[in-house]
Amino acid sequence: MKLSASIIEIIACCILIFVSIVGNAILIHCTWRCIRRRLPTSFTLIFSLAIVHLLKNLVVNTINIISSAGISTNATYCKIGLFTSSLTTTLEIWFTLYMAVFYCVKLNRVVHPRRTPPNGKWRKHHVIGVIALWITGIAVSCPYLIFGESLENQSLLNSSLCIQHGFLYDQCSFAFGDPQVELYYHKIFMVIIDLFPLLILVMVSCRTLLLFREQKKATYGNIWIGHDASETEVLRASKIIIFLTLLITSLWVSHFVLVSFLKIAMSWYLTPTILILLCSVYSSLSPYLLMLINYKISLKIRALSSFCCANAKKPTLSDGEKSSVPVESVAED
């Protein structure tokens, strides 16, 4: 029995929502348990990304499920869906870029050590920067919440032709009033808002690769002395950020190309499902990679997994491991 496009779309959305909720819930729980006195910068970025991921899957994919199930929708669903999709996609890129720059600077300190210790006052500046990104993202995406509308006539026409693009691509539109303003905002400005940070993200990743190349050749007085736990954490986090860069860039470019040539692929059976996957896979898979960035978060996840067993005990660190655990002020500032 051949499944319809709507059923496949519902199944894909349910899987994405489930995977995202599990991953982000574990990430938030373990990250929160690691906080002692102050909120480290990396934890602030992880919290922000986790919230963004949950918003995208719980709001956007739930609306897609409602539409695919045949439940009647109106302009309100379009406004909320377009706004949330735009906001979460933009913030995902911005916060990933922020994290990439953050760890690129820390990796540069590992490869080229400084005599002076890092300034702890930067923590407050990072928190202000994260809040500013949230406010900017909401302000940039607000027009979708105001001028989004439902195209009922176009939806009926596509239904008669057995063409399905997905709810946000087929039944929703952005009506600004002035076609020129709509063109400059919807098709130029919003693309630049995402594309420009992605280009910077790729360049930062290239710089990180160059630092890795220098790190392999680095010695201190012609003697290689290895790395402590905090430096190992920076090296591991930088590698994960490179993989996240490849993932988010490839997904965004593929999604942009498919939407640009949507008229050509309008009769493709799996077009709605592919669009949903390209839009939401990053928010569902990246939490599991973010769990590996911080050393203390990894320990909490191990403790949580062992706690699920009836007679399991919380893992303890040996004296040697305790001495190698990075100090919060050194590893996170």
Side-chain angles (χ1 to χ4, degrees), residues 94-291:
W94 289 358
F95 285 132
T96 303
L97 173 60
Y98 201 136
M99 187 172 292
V101 174
F102 178 74
Y103 278 106
C104 183
V105 173
K106 292 173 71 66
L107 180 61
N108 185 71
R109 293 175 183 172
V110 172
V111 179
H112 306 286
R114 300 188 306 178
R115 295 183 179 180
T116 58
N119 188 0
K121 295 182 180 180
W122 277 104
R123 190 191 306 269
K124 297 181 180 179
H125 298 301
H126 287 305
V127 174
I128 295 174
V130 170
I131 296 174
L133 288 180
W134 273 100
I135 296 175
T136 304
I138 293 173
V140 167
S141 302
C142 266
Y144 286 109
L145 195 60
I146 300 173
F147 299 101
E149 67 173 11
S150 177
L151 295 178
E152 297 179 357
N153 295 333
Q154 184 69 26
S155 178
L156 292 175
L157 177 60
N158 289 341
S159 297
S160 63
L161 295 175
C162 296
I163 298 173
Q164 298 186 21
H165 296 165
F167 177 68
L168 296 179
Y169 308 94
D170 184 34
Q171 301 180 28
C172 297
S173 178
F174 180 74
F176 201 86
D178 188 349
Q180 293 296 327
V181 177
E182 179 180 348
L183 172 65
Y184 291 140
Y185 172 79
H186 181 55
K187 297 183 179 180
I188 297 179
F189 177 72
M190 292 305 295
V191 173
I192 294 176
I193 284 295
D194 292 344
L195 183 59
F196 185 68
L198 280 176
L199 294 176
I200 299 177
L201 181 59
V202 172
M203 290 188 290
V204 172
S205 298
C206 293
R207 171 59 179 167
T208 302
L209 290 174
L210 292 177
L211 289 174
F212 273 119
R213 185 177 180 181
E214 294 180 18
Q215 179 266 334
K216 290 182 179 180
K217 302 178 180 179
T219 59
Y220 301 92
N222 295 325
I223 300 175
W224 185 78
I225 61 176
H227 302 283
D228 59 22
S230 61
E231 293 176 347
T232 302
E233 177 181 318
V234 172
L235 295 174
R236 181 176 64 249
S238 300
K239 294 176 183 178
I240 295 174
I241 293 297
I242 293 176
F243 184 79
L244 290 177
T245 299
L246 295 175
L247 181 62
I248 192 173
T249 303
S250 59
L251 290 174
W252 189 92
V253 171
S254 301
H255 182 271
F256 177 77
V257 171
L258 184 58
V259 171
S260 300
F261 296 95
L262 195 58
K263 293 182 179 179
I264 299 177
M266 63 172 48
S267 59
W268 195 7
Y269 181 69
L270 294 177
T271 297
T273 305
I274 293 176
L275 287 171
I276 290 174
L277 291 176
L278 293 176
C279 184
S280 302
V281 161
Y282 181 76
S283 60
S284 298
L285 296 183
S286 61
Y288 298 93
L289 296 175
L290 294 173
M291 294 176 188

